[in-house]
């Protein structure tokens, strides 16, 4: 199943599992509101809108703005459209956008980590901004779920997580601020975390990964718990 198909399959129940995604989107929007306090955006592009948890907040914040929501998964776009008919929509790959701009704000939350070429894509989005426009991106970055990765490494077992981008490499070449913060996963163990990731459609493993056997998974979970390090998401934000 492709990344797009996995997200499409999760569209109906996505928001039941998406506490972290809501928290990250809300945090990003607050930072963007500060940045754009004097220049409210008139044309906004959101990439990876999902079911619209951020999209709805965007239009509530700037009700007069034109909002174009894009996502690679048609079922995500359909769900978002049902809840927010006032926006415009496009099913498209964020790495090959058919919308030239200029936009006053291009925003994306918890999506860019799925891209093959995240840094080049952000540079491309930057070109689609108006002169005073803002690019705002939040995503899990390198350091996320490190305790699980380290445990697997120690046990010589493969890790299926997609590699998380390095924040500094992502922001290189963009003028603006970048920062990160840690959020402890709410799930009490790796199994519950995997359920969360499946629930949002975000459990597609890295290419070539062969799933652990039940015994390997049990051993790795026990070792991770015994290690005493919590499961933590490192969320990076880039705001130009
Ligand atoms: C974890 S969800 C986040 C959705 C929303 N931004 C939120 O915070 O709830 C990731 C979204 O990115 C979309 N996505 C993944 N790869 C994409 C790509 N290459 N282009 C556009 N959207 C993509 C998925 O379909 C999914 O809707």
């Amino acid at each position: 199943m492709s990344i797009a198909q996995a997200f499409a399959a999760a569209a109906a129940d996505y928001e039941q599992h998406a506490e972290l995604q809501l928290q990250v989107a809300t945090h990003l929007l607050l930072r963007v509101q500060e940045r754009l306090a004097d220049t409210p955006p008139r044309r906004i592009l959101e990439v990876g809108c999902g079911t619209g948890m951020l999209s709805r907040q965007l239009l509530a914040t700037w009700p007069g703005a034109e909002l174009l929501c894009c996502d690679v998964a048609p079922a995500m776009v359909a769900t978002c459209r049902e809840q927010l008919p006032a926006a415009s929509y496009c099913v498209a790959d964020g790495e090959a956008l058919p919308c030239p701009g200029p936009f006053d704000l291009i925003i994306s939350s918890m999506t860019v980590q799925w891209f093959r070429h995240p840094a080049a894509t952000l540079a491309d989005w930057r070109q689609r901004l108006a002169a005073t426009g803002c690019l705002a991106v939040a995503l899990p970055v390198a350091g996320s779920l490190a305790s699980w990765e380290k445990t697997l490494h120690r046990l010589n077992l493969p890790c299926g997580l997609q590699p998380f981008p390095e924040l500094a490499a992502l922001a290189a070449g963009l003028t603006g601020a970048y920062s990160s913060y840690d959020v402890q996963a709410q799930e009490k163990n790796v199994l519950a975390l995997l359920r969360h990731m499946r629930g949002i459609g975000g459990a597609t493993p890295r290419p070539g990964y062969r799933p652990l056997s039940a015994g390997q998974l049990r051993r790795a979970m026990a070792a991770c718990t015994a290690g005493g390090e919590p499961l933590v998401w490192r969320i990076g934000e880039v705001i130009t």
Side-chain angles (χ1 to χ4, degrees), residues 5-15 17 51 75-76 197-202:
Q5 286 167 334
F7 277 112
D13 295 329
Y14 175 88
E15 293 194 13
H17 301 272
T51 56
M76 285 291 190
M197 289 168 81
R198 272 193 218 107
I200 63 153

Side-chain angles (χ1 to χ4, degrees), residues 88-105:
S88 308
Y89 290 92
C90 129
V91 175
D93 183 344
E95 295 194 90
L97 286 175
C99 14
F103 296 97
D104 303 308
L105 170 62

Side-chain angles (χ1 to χ4, degrees), residues 7 14 48-50 53 71-73 76 92-94 109-111 114-115:
F7 277 112
Y14 175 88
C49 60
M53 291 195 316
D71 199 289
V72 75
M76 285 291 190
D93 183 344
S109 186
M110 298 300 265
T111 295
W114 293 104
F115 290 1

